[in-house]
Amino acid sequence: MTTNLLTRILSNPACASEMEAPQWTAILTVARAEQLAGTLAQRLAGLPVPARVAAVLADAQGSAEQGRRAALWEAEMVRRALAPLGVPVVLLKGTAYVAAGLAAGRGRSIGDCDILVPREALAPVEAALLAAGWEWVKPDAYDDAYYRQWMHELPPLIHRERDRMIDVHHTILPPTARPTPDADALIADAVPLENGLSVLAPMDMIVHAAAHLFADGDLAGGLRNLWDIHCLIGEFGTGGLHERAAHHQLGGAVARAVRLAEALYGSKGTAGLGAVDRLYMRRLLARDGWGRETRQGVRFGFYVRSHALRMPPAMLARHLWIKWRRRGAPASG
Amino acid sequence: MRHSLSLKVGPVGFRVGSDWRAPIAQLAALYEGYPSVDVPDFTVRLEALRPWRRWVRPSVAIHGDYRLPEAAPLPLAQGLLAAELGMNLQMALGYRRHLLLHAAVVERGGRAVLMSGVSGAGKSTLALMLGQGGWRFLGDEFALVDCASGGVVPFPRAVSLKNGSIAVAAEGARLGPMLRGTPKGVIRHVAPPGDAVARMAEGASPALLVFPRFGFAGAVRGLDAAETFVRLTQASTNYAMLGEAGFRALTRLVEGVPAVAIDYPDGAAGVAQVEALFAAL
């Protein structure tokens, strides 16, 4: 209910004039919790809002602007570190949106720097990053081996001076997941930026956002991801999207992303949604006006699902057993 | 949330919600006379770790708009401390409307003294004692420096006195409960003097930067701009977050305001040192 207020005002900023103080309080709190405060500030720019709301939005705008600058600088640092290798480097997610000047990047909060490189280039990329000041975040030997054997990315690295994380992907889903996206096509069709870095082709961007949300995660941050998808579709349309999604074996995830983005941020509302989509909606909107996570049962269901999607049952059992035995133990290695 | 309170301190609006009544009642008593706020800048939540922990070994987890993963929960008896820590955490992690310095501030004649130092340096005690002796108390936790004007804006929160300094609280002052067994020993909160709240919209110009150190023989040492700058970057929670605006505000402060480090053996001596330094400006 409360979270609906945020999606409604994002899709239709004109309804700001209807909001009273308690609604504003809830909207701002939920926007922060969902990492959408900067986006909200962008959407409401120039519209009359109460002074106290304007002050919070101005802070969010300043914060997003600082985040944008830091993300672009980090991408430049990565570019400098990897340029001598001559391998293609594709920016992903938030960094890609701001680097390419896309609507999805406006006001967006950006955490880690995510990049995609060819799988065969992983070793030299890793060595170059380590030489340029990045360090391992997870010193645990099991975690490290797990990432290397089973994940679609290297274990996360953090830069020792700038304190920024980088995730180096070689594809967009874990190899243990059932869909197998065509990583070579993602890189081959990437769109070069002026500085030599690239971003995914438009339809691949949408496919990746949907994969990240529905085939890999427990839907945490889902409202922001679907806002990204809403903006990408608004900018690029959906011509060729379904073929591309099918090529990456992600037709179902992409179709669901399109339906839910439309339901949350489009003009049609929830009329066309089926029962399963409605369950997703319940998870996506599970937050109250104090920013608290609600609907713990639904959340837990999606958490279990996210692990079940990532690996087959026997492997999942072994993984959770090892993680459980190690809980609280000091990291070794 | 079951229990909640909104209050405005200086320019900042807070909303504090709690699963328990006691922390909110204590907060309301301590901050009596502060205005409430319709749309707060920050939300603080004092929540039970698990649903049953509301009653069984009640333990207060501190949450809010901005989170620090390693913030440890506190026993319910220290719920007021949890609320105060929660408000400080939100400021430290999310506030960007002013340059924030970890400092106490007092004012006389429109001119402010900023006292910055690590926890235990005696900032709070000095600020409260000066506040009881003809100075206006602007705050003891954060100095809010306006990036455009360079002025300092009041942020008069309750003063948290620790251990031996608790006796400094004036006769008749509004006091919080005695909080024993906290990570910093015994803590007791004191409401700021009345004029601090009545005049909390009224700013001042920084006139003196003091870096006090409690528990040493009295000494005064002037600080050059470079050392002051480094000390203040360390004392600021949002200097880096503000980017160029923060750099300009800090540079202006360091270049325009004299800075001294003082050692003092006890509160009365510290007050006398600050008075003397201020008089000599």
Side-chain angles (χ1 to χ4, degrees), chain A residues 20-22 24-26 28-29 32-33 50 52-53 55-56 58-60 62-64 66 69 288-293, chain B residues 1 4 8 11-13 15-17 19 37-45 47 65-66 94-97 240-243:
Chain A
E20 306 284 339
W24 278 120
T25 301
L28 295 173
T29 304
R32 275 184 178 149
R52 295 207 52 79
V53 175
V56 174
D59 275 7
S63 179
Q66 173 72 4
R69 198 178 302 127
D288 71 9
W290 282 86
R292 286 180 294 182
E293 298 179 345
Chain B
M1 308 246 11
S4 68
K8 195 162 177 244
V12 190
R15 161 175 79 146
V16 185
D19 282 341
V37 66
D38 58 351
V39 181
D41 296 286
F42 296 113
T43 291
V44 174
R45 306 191 314 255
E47 293 182 283
D65 292 323
Y66 298 93
Y95 192 74
R96 50 181 304 126
R97 220 164 293 158
M241 197 195 311
L242 289 175

Side-chain angles (χ1 to χ4, degrees), chain A residues 90-102:
Chain A
V90 184
L91 299 174
L92 299 174
K93 300 200 276 192
T95 311
Y97 305 150
V98 297
L102 300 177

